[in-house]
Structure formats: structure tokens, C-alpha cells
């Protein structure tokens, strides 16, 4: 993430990060552990795809594109998630039918698929009822890892449809976690099993104490969300407006949504993009301010980096200690609304801008947030400065004092989330020294080359998972200037 974990103490300018961490090592791509118990595959013929249970409310909206492993190759095709959610707001539970169409674009035959199942990190939350596919021979769910064995292997370039049925009983969320329910609000983030990226192996990292550990490919989503009867008064905050009950989001890394019966909302448009802000009625002034500044940030970044990648941007207030970005949707902690002083330079506005910038840096351009978190966090943080420089130049330099200099940051920009056991140290190194590196890089290149580089980095890596190497490869095509002293100053020894 994406996170800015800051809390106000005493005044708006006295801040302490809430981030913490511990020393861990990332998981290596694992093979099946010998102790794993495999469940036999539920045999269904491909023609049975389509629910074998109660009929869907709007079956015509879902036309399963069942493809067998013998379908013609669809090279470069994105994974498609089609989910039908029966939502029980009163009882905080969901029943979900998930159809995944996966195309093997790895270039090698796959004998297994690995899915991240974040809700299964907690007892009693996630219950997997069915796994089915034409060529699955078994599956194993261990914590947040679901491994599905394919027999025969899925050849490169061919596709597979996987069906899962699961239930979620949402846990109470604490102030450091969004997933679950809190204060009359359900937050569904990383709530469904999804296929993780495949590189040399499957990329599914261990959770750290700081930062984000999940890595996402871009995918297409059709999500039907149906509140159970008599609960239709709830508002659903989603990354896109529904077409009847179906939310269609394309080229996104994840689909997050929230539900509450307590919100007010406000909307506006910027060009073809609809922005919507959800907030408690008592916080209407701030809910509107957030909406207006997000709109300005969206315009600013579209101008600087390239077109906004989604049809809408949704901002959800939450009882949360932080801000957190998802595709087309982000969360802002209510504390920032309550501590708003009405000025442009405070954490309510800075975090609004930061999370908006993540729509380009982590949404449009993906990265490995566990191993190379600077690629999104340094850019999102420096983007805050760009927003102030462009729109409120009178306070742009004060931004550096508020967000960076106050913390006298130390540490290597390219730290991993596992490298530090303190949230402030992590933020200082990756976010704050990351912003300082980008400031110095811009000064070295000059504005024309620097912004041309950012635009090309966004364009070239759009829809992909960028690496440190990609960043510097594209940068090298925009400058011949010697950057070795900057690399030595900001990056770990031995950085190429
Ligand atoms: Zn961030």
C-alpha cells in the first residue's frame, strides 16, 4: 500500500506514524507441502458451469464463457472474475459464487494454480464450500494459500474455468484493518480468492507487519451484489456504478467495496469520470472537501501522468487509522475528517491526494508491494507535492516540512516490507526518502525529461507489474546524466 499511517498528536502538524513491522523473510514460491491434505475435486462437466443451486436473480446478466483447456489460445488475455454475491448486511455475511476464467499466459504448462485467500487468515471467517473445474484433481487450502492441482497440466496459451463457492462471516475490524465490519459499515477488501501472479513461480508473499504484501495482475470483474430482502436500504460503495446489479470493472487489480446504512454521499464528475464520496452525515463538510480535492488531484495527475485508468473514483470514509487505495476506490480514516482544520495543507487533503495518486502508481502501474514498495509509495508521496505545486503553490514548500522534514527520514528507498520492524522507519525510508530521491532526480534531469519519463513509465508499464529494473531502464532512455551519486545516497549498496 499504499499506506500513510499517521496520527495527529496535539496539533495537525505533530504526527506519529502508526506503522510497525517485524523482521520476516518473504515466502519463496512453494511446492506442495507434504502435510497438505488434498480434497478430492468435485466433478462437474463443463456444461454444468452455471449454478447448480438456487437460480440467480438476474441470470441473463451472466453468460458464462466456459472454455475448456482445448479452447484456442488467447495470448495476453486477462483473468476474468465473475462473482455473484448474496449480501446479508444485518448478519454481516456473504454467500459468493465465483467463476474465474484464467488464461495461461506464463509461457509454461501449469500443474497448479495458486490463489490468495486473505479472509482465511482468521478463524471462522472464510468457508470454502465448492471447488470445481474440468481438469482439477484436488485442492488444498492452507491459511491464505489455496493451491489447485491441474491434471493434466494447463498448456501455455490455453484457458481454464474454475468455480468456487464460499461464504464469508465478516469479523469485527480493528482500527488498523479494513476487512470486516465496524460502526455499521462492512468493508470488503481482498475478500475473494484470486489467482496470484506467476513469474519464476507463484508470487504470494508472507504478510509483513508494515506495508502491503499482495501482488496483483490486472483482471476484469463482473460482480453482482444483491442485498437480501428487506435490506435494500443499504448503500453500496463500489469502484464503478452498477449496470442493474452488476458492477463491471475492467483492467483492475482488485475489486473492493463497502456497505452501510448510515452514509450520506456526494458526487461530481471530471470529464467522463464520476467521483463519489461516502461519509457519515456529521462529516458532510469534509466529505465534500475530499470529493473536490480528489477531483482536482485526478485532473492534475491525468495531465501529468496520463489518462485516469478507471470509469469512476469512489472515496469511502472508514473507522480506520490510515488511508488505503484499491482500484477506483480508496478509504480514508475518519480521524482525518474529525481533525480537519479547513486548510489545504493537512492530512485529510494530503491523504486524499496520495490515495488518488495510487490509482496510477499501483493501480495502472502495478508493482511488488512487498519487495519493491518504493515503486508505488515514493511516487504516490511525491505526487502529493506535485499536486500542491500545481494547485496551491503557496503551501507547496510547507508540504515538505509537514510530510518529510518533520521526520528527519533515514533509510534506503528500496527497502522491502520485511527489512524493518518499525512502521515509522519503514515510512521514512520508502515513502519519505523516496520522495526526496524523486525531488533530486527531477532536479538532475530537468522538468521536461523528468515528466516525459513519468509519462512513459506509466504508459509502458500500464497494466503490468513494474520492477525497479523497469523504472531505471525507462529512465535511462530519458537521460544520459550520471545518477550514480543519487543511487548511492538513496539506495541499498549494490543497487545496479
Ligand atoms: Zn501509499
Amino acid at each position: 500500500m499504499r499506506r500513510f499511517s499517521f496520527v495527529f498528536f496535539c496539533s495537525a502538524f505533530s504526527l506519529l506514524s502508526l506503522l510497525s513491522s517485524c523482521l520476516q523473510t518473504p515466502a519463496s514460491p512453494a511446492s506442495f507441502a507434504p502435510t497438505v491434505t488434498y480434497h478430492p475435486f468435485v466433478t462437474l462437466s463443463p456444461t454444468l458451469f452455471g449454478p447448480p443451486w438456487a437460480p440467480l436473480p438476474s441470470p441473463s446478466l451472466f453468460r458464462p464463457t466456459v472454455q475448456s483447456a482445448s479452447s484456442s489460445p488467447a495470448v495476453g488475455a486477462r483473468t476474468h472474475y465473475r462473482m455473484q454475491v448474496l449480501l446479508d448486511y444485518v448478519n454481516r455475511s456473504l454467500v459468493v459464487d465465483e467463476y474465474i476464467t484464467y488464461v495461461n499466459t506464463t509461457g509454461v504448462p501449469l500443474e497448479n494454480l495458486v490463489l490468495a485467500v486473505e479472509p482465511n487468515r482468521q478463524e471462522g471467517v472464510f468457508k470454502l464450500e465448492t471447488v470445481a473445474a474440468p481438469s482439477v484433481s484436488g485442492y488444498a487450502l492452507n491459511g491464505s494459500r489455496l493451491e489447485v492441482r491441474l491434471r493434466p497440466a494447463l498448456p501455455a496459451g490455453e484457458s481454464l474455468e474454475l468455480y468456487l463457492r464460499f461464504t464469508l462471516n465478516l469479523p469485527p475490524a480493528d482500527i488498523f484493518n479494513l476487512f470486516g465490519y465496524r460502526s455499521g459499515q462492512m468493508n470488503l477488501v481482498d475478500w475473494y480468492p484470486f489467482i496470484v501472479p506467476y513469474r519464476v513461480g507463484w508470487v504470494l508473499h508472507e504478510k509483513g507487519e508494515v506495508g502491503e504484501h499482495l501482488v496483483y495482475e490486472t483482471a476484469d470483474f463482473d460482480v453482482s451484489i444483491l442485498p437480501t430482502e428487506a435490506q435494500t436500504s443499504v448503500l453500496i460503495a463500489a469502484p464503478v456504478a452498477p449496470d442493474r446489479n452488476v458492477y463491471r470493472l475492467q483492467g483492475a487489480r482488485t475489486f473492493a467495496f463497502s456497505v452501510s446504512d448510515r452514509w450520506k454521499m456526494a458526487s461530481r464528475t471530471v470529464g467522463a469520470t464520476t467521483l463519489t464520496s461516502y461519509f457519515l452525515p456529521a462529516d458532510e463538510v469534509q466529505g465534500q472537501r475530499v470529493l473536490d480535492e480528489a477531483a482536482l488531484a485526478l485532473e492534475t495527475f491525468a495531465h501529468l501522468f496520463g489518462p485516469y485508468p478507471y470509469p469512476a473514483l469512489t472515496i469511502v470514509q472508514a473507522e480506520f487509522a490510515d488511508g488505503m487505495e484499491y482500484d477506483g476506490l480508496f478509504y480514508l480514516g475518519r480521524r482525518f475528517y474529525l481533525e480537519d482544520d479547513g486548510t489545504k495543507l493537512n492530512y485529510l487533503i494530503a491523504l486524499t491526494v496520495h490515495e488518488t495518486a495510487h490509482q496510477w502508481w499501483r493501480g495502472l502501474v502495478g508493482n511488488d508491494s512487498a519487495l519493491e514498495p518504493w515503486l508505488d509509495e515514493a511516487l504516490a508521496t511525491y505526487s502529493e507535492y506535485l499536486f500542491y505545486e500545481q494547485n496551491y503553490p503557496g503551501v507547496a514548500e510547507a508540504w515538505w516540512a509537514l510530510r518529510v522534514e518533520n521526520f528527519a527520514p533515514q533509510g534506503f528507498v528500496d527497502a522491502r516490507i520485511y527489512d524493518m520492524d518499525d512502521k515509522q522507519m519503514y515510512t521514512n525510508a520508502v515513502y519519505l526518502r523516496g520522495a526526496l530521491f524523486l525531488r533530486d532526480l527531477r532536479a538532475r534531469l530537468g522538468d521536461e525529461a523528468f515528466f516525459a519519463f513519468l509519462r512513459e513509465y506509466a504508459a509502458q508499464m500500464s497494466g503490468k507489474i513494474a520492477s525497479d529494473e523497469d523504472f531505471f531502464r525507462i529512465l535511462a532512455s530519458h537521460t544520459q546524466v550520471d545518477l550514480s551519486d543519487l543511487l548511492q545516497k538513496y539506495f541499498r549498496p549494490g543497487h545496479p
Side-chain angles (χ1 to χ4, degrees), residues 1-3 354 358 377 431:
M1 304 182 279
R2 24 215 211 136
R3 293 195 183 182
H354 180 96
H358 271 304
E377 294 300 357
Y431 293 59

Side-chain angles (χ1 to χ4, degrees), residues 171-327:
D174 63 29
I175 194 121
F176 303 107
N177 289 284
L178 283 164
F179 177 75
Y181 70 89
R182 186 181 174 91
S183 304
Q185 181 171 332
M186 296 167 68
N187 296 319
L188 280 302
V189 300
D190 296 317
W191 54 277
Y192 55 89
F194 68 90
I195 299 173
V196 302
Y198 185 93
R199 293 297 179 263
V200 178
W202 295 102
V203 182
L204 179 56
H205 300 304
E206 294 296 327
K207 189 176 169 67
E209 291 298 311
V210 303
E212 285 73 49
H213 63 286
L214 293 172
V215 188
Y216 313 86
E217 299 279 16
T218 50
D220 297 331
F221 297 87
D222 288 343
V223 183
S224 151
I225 304 170
L226 287 157
T228 54
E229 237 176 307
Q231 297 177 18
T232 48
S233 62
V234 294
L235 284 178
I236 296 172
V240 65
D243 172 5
R244 288 180 277 180
N245 286 315
V246 183
Y247 299 81
R248 302 182 193 281
L249 184 64
Q250 298 195 320
R253 296 179 190 275
T254 185
F255 185 100
F257 71 99
S258 286
V259 187
S260 179
D261 63 357
R262 301 185 182 180
W263 288 324
K264 285 194 75 168
M265 57 183 280
S267 290
R268 58 176 291 175
T269 57
V270 173
T273 307
T274 302
L275 294 92
T276 307
S277 173
Y278 294 87
F279 45 83
L280 293 176
D283 305 320
E284 183 161 11
V285 170
Q286 287 73 31
Q288 185 67 49
R289 262 164 62 67
V290 160
L291 179 68
D292 293 341
E293 300 300 338
L296 187 55
L298 191 147
E299 278 188 295
T300 303
F301 297 145
H303 172 69
L304 291 176
F305 310 144
Y308 177 70
Y310 311 109
L313 180 59
T314 299
I315 305 150
V316 184
Q317 185 190 52
E319 292 286 355
F320 179 52
D322 212 331
M324 183 66 195
E325 77 285 2
Y326 296 89
D327 299 69

